[in-house]
């Protein structure tokens, strides 16, 4: 026979995991372990809800963090100015999936990196593979771990004949299932609908620390990854989501109450489970986010480049040097002017005109680009001195 409330209704407690409540010599204390760890849960919440494993009934730390009044409509962007070298498109942030494919924030200051992104082969049914969550990623393993914890506590509650712990396990586990149903979504990357032929379009990303990332790709990929919005298409409508959130909130509150009235043995087991889950969620939150995404539909390959033999100036890596490399690799200066990447004055305009002219002589040597024999720092100094002499 299950035990429901030891000592009768007068001993009902409205706290949770009161590890010391049953010790007469200790003051009442509450660990509140079931509602701690919001930040570690939210870090990978969006990618986790892409997987069907997110629907598993399970324990998670701080389930209230996932009960939101409104769901995210788009993925969180990253910092950086994105410019289409030939298309002229400009965007003031880097889309989330594009950032996952190559994290330009990790580049050294004033460095220049060139990558080529292509679409991988189509699926056997002829459809392009989609960006989704990795089935065997770290986030998916958290869902399995939480489910195992729930099943273990469910069995232990029955063995210990603890009715309050049994109800707490059921309610707290089903909260995540309701949240999972309301949060299930798929990623929609905007595709080109027109059949008009368009030339390949380099994409240039200028990061706040002065680094440049050049992406060589087709115009279709450029729009899909860098310029079109990444829309979250949810499986459940807004009204249904709010109803599910309301039910989940009520279940969470009753689950907390039931857990606060469970036996000391089961409260200790719940405490151990939440400590383990919090440690696991914090560990996964510290891992690279790329580990949780299936990006196999895109292929990223480095494009090497080198300078033609020449005598370099004494200037080290700086913005002028980095900008020249980016211009030479794209063989265009228009994107610099369109996006206001460089200072706007007569000396810089003359420097840009000369850099754009010289960049046309960039060559391919087997598998790498050979940048022209030209010193950007020396030429910028020349034009700045010309401006000074003109105004003298």
């Amino acid at each position: 026979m299950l035990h429901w409330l030891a000592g009768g209704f007068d001993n009902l407690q409205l706290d949770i995991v009161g590890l010391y409540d049953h010790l007469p010599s200790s003051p009442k204390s509450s660990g509140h372990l079931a509602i701690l760890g919001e930040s570690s849960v939210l870090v990978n919440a969006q990618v986790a809800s892409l997987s069907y494993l997110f629907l598993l009934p399970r324990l998670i730390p701080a389930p209230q963090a996932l009960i939101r009044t409104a769901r995210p409509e788009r993925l969180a962007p990253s910092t950086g100015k994105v410019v289409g070298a030939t298309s002229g498109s400009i965007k003031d942030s880097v889309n989330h999936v594009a950032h996952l494919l190559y994290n330009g924030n990790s580049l050294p200051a004033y460095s220049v990196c060139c990558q080529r992104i292509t679409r991988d082969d189509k699926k056997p049914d002829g459809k392009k593979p989609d960006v989704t969550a990795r089935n065997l990623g770290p986030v998916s393993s958290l869902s399995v771990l939480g489910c195992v914890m729930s099943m273990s506590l469910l069995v232990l509650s029955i063995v210990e004949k603890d009715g309050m712990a049994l109800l707490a396990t059921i309610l707290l586990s089903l909260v995540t299932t309701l949240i999972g149903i309301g949060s299930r979504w798929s990623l929609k990357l905007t595709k080109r609908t027109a059949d008009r032929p368009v030339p390949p379009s380099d994409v240039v990303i200028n990061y706040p620390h002065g680094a440049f990332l050049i992406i060589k790709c087709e115009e279709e990929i450029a729009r899909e990854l860098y310029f079109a919005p990444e829309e979250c298409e949810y499986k459940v409508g807004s009204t249904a989501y709010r109803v599910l959130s309301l039910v989940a909130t009520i279940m969470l509150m009753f689950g907390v109450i039931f857990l606060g009235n469970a036996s000391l043995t089961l409260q200790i087991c719940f405490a151990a489970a939440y400590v383990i889950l919090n440690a696991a969620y914090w560990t996964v939150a510290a891992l690279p986010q790329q580990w949780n995404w299936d990006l196999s539909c895109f292929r990223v390959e480095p494009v090497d480049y080198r300078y033609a033999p020449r005598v370099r100036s004494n200037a080290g890596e700086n913005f002028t040097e980095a900008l020249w490399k980016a211009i030479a690799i794209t063989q265009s200066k228009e994107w610099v002017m369109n996006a206001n990447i460089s200072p706007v004055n007569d000396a810089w305009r003359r420097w840009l005109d000369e850099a754009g002219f010289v960049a046309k002589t960039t060559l391919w040597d087997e598998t790498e680009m050979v940048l022209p024999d030209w010193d950007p720092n020396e030429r910028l100094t020349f034009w700045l001195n010309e401006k000074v002499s003109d105004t003298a």
Side-chain angles (χ1 to χ4, degrees), residues 140-276:
S140 300
S141 65
L142 291 177
S143 298
V144 176
L145 176 62
C147 186
V148 171
M149 292 291 186
S150 291
M151 294 175 61
S152 301
L153 289 169
L154 188 68
V155 172
L156 189 59
S157 299
I158 295 174
V159 171
E160 293 291 324
K161 299 180 180 180
D162 191 332
M164 286 294 185
L166 179 64
L167 288 177
T169 305
I170 293 174
L171 289 178
L172 294 176
S173 300
L174 290 180
V175 163
T176 56
T177 299
L178 288 181
I179 296 173
I181 294 173
S183 302
R184 277 283 297 165
W185 65 289
S186 60
L187 179 61
K188 180 183 179 182
L189 296 177
T190 305
K191 307 289 194 304
R192 285 186 68 243
T193 56
D195 295 331
R196 294 185 298 270
V198 290
S201 177
D202 291 350
V203 176
V204 183
I205 307 173
N206 179 216
Y207 292 94
H209 62 294
F212 286 88
L213 174 63
I214 294 97
I215 303 296
K216 292 192 169 294
C217 61
E218 299 294 331
E219 177 65 19
E220 178 181 354
I221 294 178
R223 296 186 189 182
E224 186 178 17
L225 288 178
Y226 292 97
F227 298 110
E230 299 168 319
E231 298 180 359
C232 300
E233 290 191 333
Y234 290 96
K235 310 296 183 181
V236 173
S238 297
T239 302
Y241 169 73
R242 292 188 178 92
V243 173
L244 289 172
S245 297
L246 173 61
V247 176
T249 301
I250 295 173
M251 291 174 60
L252 175 60
M253 290 189 293
F254 276 102
V256 168
I257 293 173
F258 291 145
L259 183 53
N261 290 276
S263 64
L264 178 61
T265 300
L266 265 299
Q267 287 200 20
I268 291 175
C269 292
F270 266 96
Y274 279 115
V275 168
I276 294 172

Side-chain angles (χ1 to χ4, degrees), residues 49-128:
S49 54
L50 274 173
S51 172
Y52 284 104
L53 293 176
F54 198 67
L55 300 176
L56 285 175
R58 67 197 188 282
L59 293 182
I60 64 170
Q64 76 278 0
L66 300 179
I67 304 177
R68 313 178 222 188
T69 55
R71 299 168 293 186
E73 296 297 329
R74 292 181 175 86
L75 297 176
S78 182
T79 56
K81 176 170 284 189
V82 184
V83 187
T86 56
S87 67
S89 301
I90 300 175
K91 194 171 184 180
D92 292 327
S93 60
V94 184
N95 282 350
H96 192 79
V97 174
H99 177 72
L100 292 174
L101 284 171
Y102 195 94
N103 181 8
N105 288 318
S106 61
L107 293 172
Y110 304 120
S111 62
V112 179
C113 177
C114 186
Q115 301 285 324
R116 187 184 305 279
I117 296 180
T118 56
R119 268 279 187 181
D120 206 347
D121 295 335
K122 296 182 178 181
K123 291 180 179 180
D125 59 3
K127 296 181 179 180
K128 291 182 179 179

Side-chain angles (χ1 to χ4, degrees), residues 34-53:
I35 56 175
L36 295 179
E38 290 191 15
S39 57
S40 61
V41 172
L42 287 174
V43 167
N44 294 305
Q46 202 64 14
V47 63
S49 54
L50 274 173
S51 172
Y52 284 104
L53 293 176

